[in-house]
Amino acid sequence: MTGPARQGYRDVVLTVPVTVPYRRYSIEPAHWWFAAALRALSQQSGISHKEMDGLCAASFSLAPDSTIALTQHLGMSVRWLDTVALGGASAIASIRRAARAVEQGDADVVACIAADTNHIDSFRQNLSNFSRFAQDAVYPVGAGGANASFAHLTRNYMSRFGARREDFGRICIAQRTNALENPNALMRKALTMEAYLSAPPIAEPVHLFDCVMPCAGADAFLVMREDTARAQGLEFVRLTGSIERHHAFPQDPVQERGGWARDVDDLFAMAGTSPGGIDLLQSYDDYPVIVMMQLEDLGFCAKGEAPEFVRAHDLTYAGDFPHNTGGGQLSTGQAGASGGHLGIVETLRQLLGQAGARQVAGARRGMALGFGMINYDRGLSSGAVILEAAA
């Protein structure tokens, strides 16, 4: 079925990137992290939380409350509300929904917030209730968590395309280099190839530094019209393109591509650019094999060529292909649903010139990606946005 072409965005901007510093563990509930993020949005924007008339929230640990309950907890009265339960793809979906809301006048200022806590036993509890698939087919046989699933995908990718552990290591090491310049990153010790290769196995061929570290934290930003941002005196970046896709290739026996591959042409057409026009890339990096899939699916290289691509390029913030310039989840930590928002706030900081020592010189256009809701053999949700610095 063929429908009308995707429509671009009219004067939709993102502003005020916020990170509530991550912690390995926290006794605070998710609500506390949401409140801290909302407070920072208000303080940095000069807009009272009571004047924000839209809220889009993502969390794995907010239950039994929903986003509706947050409005009461946080003292907000909004005319547009959404809960996005797409894991690492939540930020992309939040932007897309919020953008259309402000375009149509359903909201003026939308706060997009992802927050999760992490108690000592939170990960096990989340896993046991993650999905019916997990409850029935994965958790009961001891294959708990994403490690076994991504080991399956990684082994298949290595077999099909000749990737080596050293290739995945180049991604992890570059991101650790970037994280050393990010005060919000939890991993602050340099990583060498020797340390990467000698790290203990978790689920072969996945080893310790291939895995994200669960933590507590929050990330947030505001979506509004350009005239609203200018009236408030806020620096902003423009939304020029976006895509999302769910369960993209059900015919594939093992996932070797994500939904990006189905919609990449639309993404670049909306934004009026091409892979060569992207100054920095924030991929979703819960495991490095997914980074390689994204490099291929978005057209930075052909399918199966990502191993050679990472061998040929410097992926640090000062390199020829700046990638996950704040360290990504692999070195910053994965604060639940906030993992998908991490790349958005880092892209905003880069395009606003707020990245400090890790600033990418001359960055004007950035791409951020999302990937989420893993079942045993594939992740079901994927998305991407292209953002441009204001002239």
Side-chain angles (χ1 to χ4, degrees):
M1 181 181 296
T2 302
R6 295 177 191 256
Q7 299 300 305
Y9 297 95
R10 302 187 306 275
D11 300 325
V12 175
V13 302
L14 281 68
T15 185
V16 193
V18 160
T19 296
V20 181
Y22 291 4
R23 300 178 196 165
R24 182 67 177 93
Y25 295 106
S26 172
I27 63 171
E28 306 290 354
H31 307 64
W32 184 92
W33 293 91
F34 272 105
L38 183 64
R39 181 188 302 114
L41 287 174
S42 180
Q43 291 173 341
Q44 294 181 33
S45 68
I47 302 172
S48 168
H49 69 287
K50 296 181 180 180
E51 296 175 343
M52 298 176 190
D53 57 353
L55 176 63
C56 195
S59 179
F60 287 113
S61 55
L62 186 61
D65 280 338
S66 67
T67 308
I68 297 170
L70 274 180
T71 62
Q72 183 176 19
H73 288 305
L74 302 177
M76 303 178 75
S77 178
V78 302
R79 59 194 180 109
W80 183 89
L81 185 74
D82 203 355
T83 303
V84 181
L86 296 177
S90 293
I92 305 299
S94 295
I95 291 170
R96 287 166 52 79
R97 288 147 178 71
R100 297 309 185 192
V102 300
E103 271 189 338
Q104 299 303 316
D106 290 333
D108 291 321
V109 178
V110 179
C112 295
I113 307 174
D116 270 300
T117 192
N118 190 45
H119 304 304
I120 297 297
D121 201 34
S122 290
F123 188 76
R124 183 190 64 81
Q125 293 177 4
N126 288 341
L127 172 63
S128 64
N129 292 287
F130 184 77
S131 68
R132 178 61 65 184
F133 189 100
Q135 289 178 340
D136 291 348
V138 178
Y139 194 66
V141 297
N147 292 328
S149 295
F150 282 97
H152 178 46
L153 299 184
T154 301
R155 185 176 297 280
N156 177 74
Y157 187 91
M158 294 173 76
S159 175
R160 287 269 288 126
F161 302 118
R164 304 189 300 264
R165 285 199 61 225
E166 290 87 345
D167 300 323
F168 299 126
R170 288 182 174 88
I171 295 170
C172 299
I173 292 166
Q175 292 188 195
R176 183 64 61 85
T177 298
N178 294 339
L180 298 180
E181 303 295 345
N182 181 3
N184 292 320
L186 291 180
M187 302 293 197
R188 303 303 301 278
K189 180 180 178 181
L191 179 63
T192 65
M193 184 63 77
E194 179 182 7
Y196 171 85
L197 292 174
S198 63
I202 303 301
E204 285 286 4
V206 168
H207 286 232
L208 180 63
F209 296 116
D210 297 309
C211 307
V212 290
M213 182 178 72
C215 61
D219 293 280
F221 49 87
L222 296 177
V223 178
M224 60 186 71
R225 291 181 296 278
E226 183 173 331
D227 58 355
T228 305
R230 290 189 181 279
Q232 196 64 28
L234 296 172
E235 295 182 312
F236 56 82
V237 304
R238 294 188 174 94
L239 173 64
T240 60
S242 75
I243 53 172
E244 70 177 273
R245 178 72 66 164
H246 310 284
H247 200 201
F249 298 102
Q251 70 274 22
D252 291 357
V254 181
Q255 186 169 32
E256 296 174 356
R257 51 186 174 165
W260 313 284
R262 288 194 60 178
D263 301 295
V264 59
D265 291 341
D266 285 351
L267 175 65
F268 285 119
M270 290 177 72
T273 189
S274 66
I278 301 300
D279 298 315
L280 55 96
L281 176 71
Q282 313 293 344
S283 72
Y284 192 84
D285 65 316
D286 47 357
Y287 295 80
V289 67
I290 301 303
V291 172
M292 290 199 175
M293 289 186 191
Q294 288 164 88
L295 291 172
E296 296 164 352
D297 290 352
L298 272 301
F300 296 101
C301 58
K303 178 54 63 179
E305 292 182 358
E308 180 57 37
F309 185 90
V310 300
R311 295 168 201 158
H313 290 279
D314 181 345
L315 306 183
T316 66
Y317 65 88
D320 63 328
F321 191 84
H323 170 255
N324 286 350
T325 51
Q329 296 175 84
L330 286 168
S331 282
T332 302
Q334 184 184 64
S338 215
H341 288 59
L342 183 69
I344 300 296
V345 298
E346 176 64 17
T347 303
L348 292 178
R349 290 189 177 108
Q350 288 286 349
L351 298 182
L352 292 170
Q354 299 175 2
R358 65 184 187 281
Q359 181 68 50
V360 175
R364 300 291 302 168
R365 185 183 287 118
M367 178 188 291
L369 308 174
F371 179 73
M373 308 317 292
I374 181 74
N375 278 337
Y376 185 73
D377 60 345
R378 69 200 62 229
L380 297 178
S381 298
S382 57
V385 294
I386 294 177
L387 303 173
E388 288 188 13

